[in-house]
mmCIF file of all heavy atoms in Angstrom:
data_model
loop_
_atom_site.group_PDB
_atom_site.id
_atom_site.type_symbol
_atom_site.label_atom_id
_atom_site.label_comp_id
_atom_site.label_asym_id
_atom_site.label_seq_id
_atom_site.Cartn_x
_atom_site.Cartn_y
_atom_site.Cartn_z
ATOM 1 N N PHE A 1021 0.192 -7.562 -26.914
ATOM 2 C CA PHE A 1021 -1.245 -7.331 -26.993
ATOM 3 C C PHE A 1021 -1.614 -5.893 -26.652
ATOM 4 O O PHE A 1021 -1.197 -5.352 -25.626
ATOM 5 C CB PHE A 1021 -1.982 -8.287 -26.052
ATOM 6 C CG PHE A 1021 -3.481 -8.170 -26.093
ATOM 7 C CD1 PHE A 1021 -4.171 -8.353 -27.278
ATOM 8 C CD2 PHE A 1021 -4.208 -7.882 -24.952
ATOM 9 C CE1 PHE A 1021 -5.554 -8.265 -27.329
ATOM 10 C CE2 PHE A 1021 -5.586 -7.783 -24.975
ATOM 11 C CZ PHE A 1021 -6.260 -7.980 -26.167
ATOM 12 N N LYS A 1022 -2.394 -5.279 -27.525
ATOM 13 C CA LYS A 1022 -2.878 -3.911 -27.358
ATOM 14 C C LYS A 1022 -4.392 -3.925 -27.469
ATOM 15 O O LYS A 1022 -4.952 -4.604 -28.331
ATOM 16 C CB LYS A 1022 -2.272 -3.011 -28.439
ATOM 17 C CG LYS A 1022 -2.769 -1.577 -28.448
ATOM 18 C CD LYS A 1022 -2.120 -0.793 -29.598
ATOM 19 C CE LYS A 1022 -2.658 0.613 -29.709
ATOM 20 N NZ LYS A 1022 -2.053 1.355 -30.834
ATOM 21 N N TYR A 1023 -5.065 -3.163 -26.609
ATOM 22 C CA TYR A 1023 -6.529 -3.201 -26.566
ATOM 23 C C TYR A 1023 -7.084 -1.784 -26.612
ATOM 24 O O TYR A 1023 -6.715 -0.928 -25.797
ATOM 25 C CB TYR A 1023 -6.980 -3.879 -25.271
ATOM 26 C CG TYR A 1023 -8.481 -3.933 -25.037
ATOM 27 C CD1 TYR A 1023 -9.293 -4.782 -25.777
ATOM 28 C CD2 TYR A 1023 -9.074 -3.158 -24.035
ATOM 29 C CE1 TYR A 1023 -10.666 -4.862 -25.538
ATOM 30 C CE2 TYR A 1023 -10.445 -3.231 -23.786
ATOM 31 C CZ TYR A 1023 -11.234 -4.080 -24.540
ATOM 32 O OH TYR A 1023 -12.582 -4.155 -24.289
ATOM 33 N N THR A 1024 -7.950 -1.541 -27.579
ATOM 34 C CA THR A 1024 -8.684 -0.282 -27.633
ATOM 35 C C THR A 1024 -10.093 -0.535 -27.128
ATOM 36 O O THR A 1024 -10.837 -1.321 -27.720
ATOM 37 C CB THR A 1024 -8.732 0.270 -29.064
ATOM 38 O OG1 THR A 1024 -7.397 0.498 -29.527
ATOM 39 C CG2 THR A 1024 -9.498 1.585 -29.100
ATOM 40 N N ASP A 1025 -10.435 0.085 -26.015
ATOM 41 C CA ASP A 1025 -11.717 -0.166 -25.379
ATOM 42 C C ASP A 1025 -12.850 0.297 -26.292
ATOM 43 O O ASP A 1025 -12.896 1.468 -26.668
ATOM 44 C CB ASP A 1025 -11.794 0.561 -24.033
ATOM 45 C CG ASP A 1025 -12.920 0.051 -23.155
ATOM 46 O OD1 ASP A 1025 -14.078 0.096 -23.608
ATOM 47 O OD2 ASP A 1025 -12.646 -0.380 -22.022
ATOM 48 N N PRO A 1026 -13.767 -0.609 -26.658
ATOM 49 C CA PRO A 1026 -14.854 -0.211 -27.557
ATOM 50 C C PRO A 1026 -15.878 0.704 -26.913
ATOM 51 O O PRO A 1026 -16.723 1.275 -27.599
ATOM 52 C CB PRO A 1026 -15.492 -1.554 -27.932
ATOM 53 C CG PRO A 1026 -15.213 -2.442 -26.762
ATOM 54 C CD PRO A 1026 -13.862 -2.022 -26.257
ATOM 55 N N VAL A 1027 -15.793 0.850 -25.589
ATOM 56 C CA VAL A 1027 -16.781 1.657 -24.876
ATOM 57 C C VAL A 1027 -16.303 3.088 -24.677
ATOM 58 O O VAL A 1027 -16.976 4.048 -25.029
ATOM 59 C CB VAL A 1027 -17.138 1.011 -23.518
ATOM 60 C CG1 VAL A 1027 -18.105 1.898 -22.737
ATOM 61 C CG2 VAL A 1027 -17.741 -0.372 -23.734
ATOM 62 N N ASP A 1028 -15.104 3.249 -24.091
ATOM 63 C CA ASP A 1028 -14.637 4.611 -23.799
ATOM 64 C C ASP A 1028 -13.463 5.050 -24.672
ATOM 65 O O ASP A 1028 -12.965 6.166 -24.538
ATOM 66 C CB ASP A 1028 -14.284 4.761 -22.325
ATOM 67 C CG ASP A 1028 -13.075 3.927 -21.892
ATOM 68 O OD1 ASP A 1028 -12.395 3.342 -22.759
ATOM 69 O OD2 ASP A 1028 -12.804 3.864 -20.676
ATOM 70 N N GLY A 1029 -12.994 4.168 -25.561
ATOM 71 C CA GLY A 1029 -11.928 4.540 -26.482
ATOM 72 C C GLY A 1029 -10.536 4.529 -25.893
ATOM 73 O O GLY A 1029 -9.564 4.823 -26.591
ATOM 74 N N SER A 1030 -10.397 4.205 -24.605
ATOM 75 C CA SER A 1030 -9.074 4.179 -23.978
ATOM 76 C C SER A 1030 -8.238 3.048 -24.569
ATOM 77 O O SER A 1030 -8.769 2.046 -25.058
ATOM 78 C CB SER A 1030 -9.199 4.009 -22.462
ATOM 79 O OG SER A 1030 -9.832 2.783 -22.141
ATOM 80 N N VAL A 1031 -6.927 3.224 -24.530
ATOM 81 C CA VAL A 1031 -6.016 2.247 -25.123
ATOM 82 C C VAL A 1031 -5.128 1.664 -24.030
ATOM 83 O O VAL A 1031 -4.510 2.396 -23.257
ATOM 84 C CB VAL A 1031 -5.146 2.899 -26.214
ATOM 85 C CG1 VAL A 1031 -4.156 1.886 -26.781
ATOM 86 C CG2 VAL A 1031 -6.031 3.450 -27.330
ATOM 87 N N ALA A 1032 -5.077 0.336 -23.961
ATOM 88 C CA ALA A 1032 -4.192 -0.360 -23.022
ATOM 89 C C ALA A 1032 -3.108 -1.059 -23.837
ATOM 90 O O ALA A 1032 -3.413 -1.861 -24.729
ATOM 91 C CB ALA A 1032 -4.981 -1.367 -22.186
ATOM 92 N N GLN A 1033 -1.852 -0.750 -23.546
ATOM 93 C CA GLN A 1033 -0.738 -1.307 -24.290
ATOM 94 C C GLN A 1033 0.117 -2.197 -23.394
ATOM 95 O O GLN A 1033 -0.013 -2.210 -22.187
ATOM 96 C CB GLN A 1033 0.108 -0.183 -24.888
ATOM 97 C CG GLN A 1033 -0.705 0.758 -25.788
ATOM 98 C CD GLN A 1033 0.172 1.736 -26.543
ATOM 99 O OE1 GLN A 1033 0.956 1.336 -27.391
ATOM 100 N NE2 GLN A 1033 0.010 3.012 -26.247
ATOM 101 N N LYS A 1034 1.006 -2.970 -24.029
ATOM 102 C CA LYS A 1034 1.923 -3.866 -23.318
ATOM 103 C C LYS A 1034 1.182 -4.768 -22.338
ATOM 104 O O LYS A 1034 1.500 -4.841 -21.164
ATOM 105 C CB LYS A 1034 3.000 -3.052 -22.588
ATOM 106 C CG LYS A 1034 3.924 -2.275 -23.522
ATOM 107 C CD LYS A 1034 5.062 -1.614 -22.767
ATOM 108 C CE LYS A 1034 6.031 -0.932 -23.709
ATOM 109 N NZ LYS A 1034 7.167 -0.293 -22.992
ATOM 110 N N GLN A 1035 0.181 -5.471 -22.877
ATOM 111 C CA GLN A 1035 -0.660 -6.320 -22.021
ATOM 112 C C GLN A 1035 -0.264 -7.788 -22.065
ATOM 113 O O GLN A 1035 -0.934 -8.621 -21.443
ATOM 114 C CB GLN A 1035 -2.121 -6.165 -22.457
ATOM 115 C CG GLN A 1035 -2.675 -4.775 -22.218
ATOM 116 C CD GLN A 1035 -2.641 -4.380 -20.749
ATOM 117 O OE1 GLN A 1035 -3.150 -5.106 -19.897
ATOM 118 N NE2 GLN A 1035 -2.028 -3.256 -20.461
ATOM 119 N N GLY A 1036 0.803 -8.114 -22.760
ATOM 120 C CA GLY A 1036 1.269 -9.495 -22.783
ATOM 121 C C GLY A 1036 1.881 -9.839 -24.128
ATOM 122 O O GLY A 1036 1.392 -9.422 -25.176
ATOM 123 N N ILE A 1037 2.989 -10.612 -24.098
ATOM 124 C CA ILE A 1037 3.647 -11.047 -25.320
ATOM 125 C C ILE A 1037 2.941 -12.303 -25.823
ATOM 126 O O ILE A 1037 2.793 -13.276 -25.080
ATOM 127 C CB ILE A 1037 5.134 -11.346 -25.083
ATOM 128 C CG1 ILE A 1037 5.824 -10.141 -24.420
ATOM 129 C CG2 ILE A 1037 5.813 -11.712 -26.400
ATOM 130 C CD1 ILE A 1037 5.825 -8.891 -25.234
ATOM 131 N N ARG A 1038 2.517 -12.269 -27.072
ATOM 132 C CA ARG A 1038 1.769 -13.389 -27.646
ATOM 133 C C ARG A 1038 2.544 -14.023 -28.809
ATOM 134 O O ARG A 1038 3.088 -13.318 -29.662
ATOM 135 C CB ARG A 1038 0.404 -12.925 -28.158
ATOM 136 C CG ARG A 1038 -0.482 -12.265 -27.134
ATOM 137 C CD ARG A 1038 -1.891 -12.053 -27.669
ATOM 138 N NE ARG A 1038 -1.920 -11.236 -28.877
ATOM 139 C CZ ARG A 1038 -3.025 -10.978 -29.575
ATOM 140 N NH1 ARG A 1038 -4.179 -11.505 -29.186
ATOM 141 N NH2 ARG A 1038 -2.987 -10.204 -30.643
ATOM 142 N N PHE A 1039 2.548 -15.357 -28.824
ATOM 143 C CA PHE A 1039 3.028 -16.114 -29.975
ATOM 144 C C PHE A 1039 1.829 -16.920 -30.467
ATOM 145 O O PHE A 1039 1.418 -17.903 -29.839
ATOM 146 C CB PHE A 1039 4.183 -17.035 -29.578
ATOM 147 C CG PHE A 1039 5.399 -16.296 -29.068
ATOM 148 C CD1 PHE A 1039 5.562 -16.042 -27.716
ATOM 149 C CD2 PHE A 1039 6.363 -15.837 -29.960
ATOM 150 C CE1 PHE A 1039 6.669 -15.365 -27.247
ATOM 151 C CE2 PHE A 1039 7.487 -15.147 -29.490
ATOM 152 C CZ PHE A 1039 7.635 -14.902 -28.131
ATOM 153 N N LEU A 1040 1.239 -16.472 -31.579
ATOM 154 C CA LEU A 1040 0.033 -17.085 -32.115
ATOM 155 C C LEU A 1040 0.429 -18.003 -33.270
ATOM 156 O O LEU A 1040 0.939 -17.544 -34.299
ATOM 157 C CB LEU A 1040 -0.940 -16.002 -32.596
ATOM 158 C CG LEU A 1040 -1.265 -14.899 -31.583
ATOM 159 C CD1 LEU A 1040 -2.233 -13.884 -32.184
ATOM 160 C CD2 LEU A 1040 -1.829 -15.485 -30.297
#
Side-chain angles (χ1 to χ4, degrees):
F1021 182 58
K1022 176 182 176 181
Y1023 177 72
T1024 300
D1025 196 302
V1027 177
D1028 66 8
S1030 61
V1031 177
Q1033 303 189 66
K1034 295 186 176 181
Q1035 294 300 306
I1037 307 298
R1038 303 190 302 176
F1039 298 92
L1040 308 180

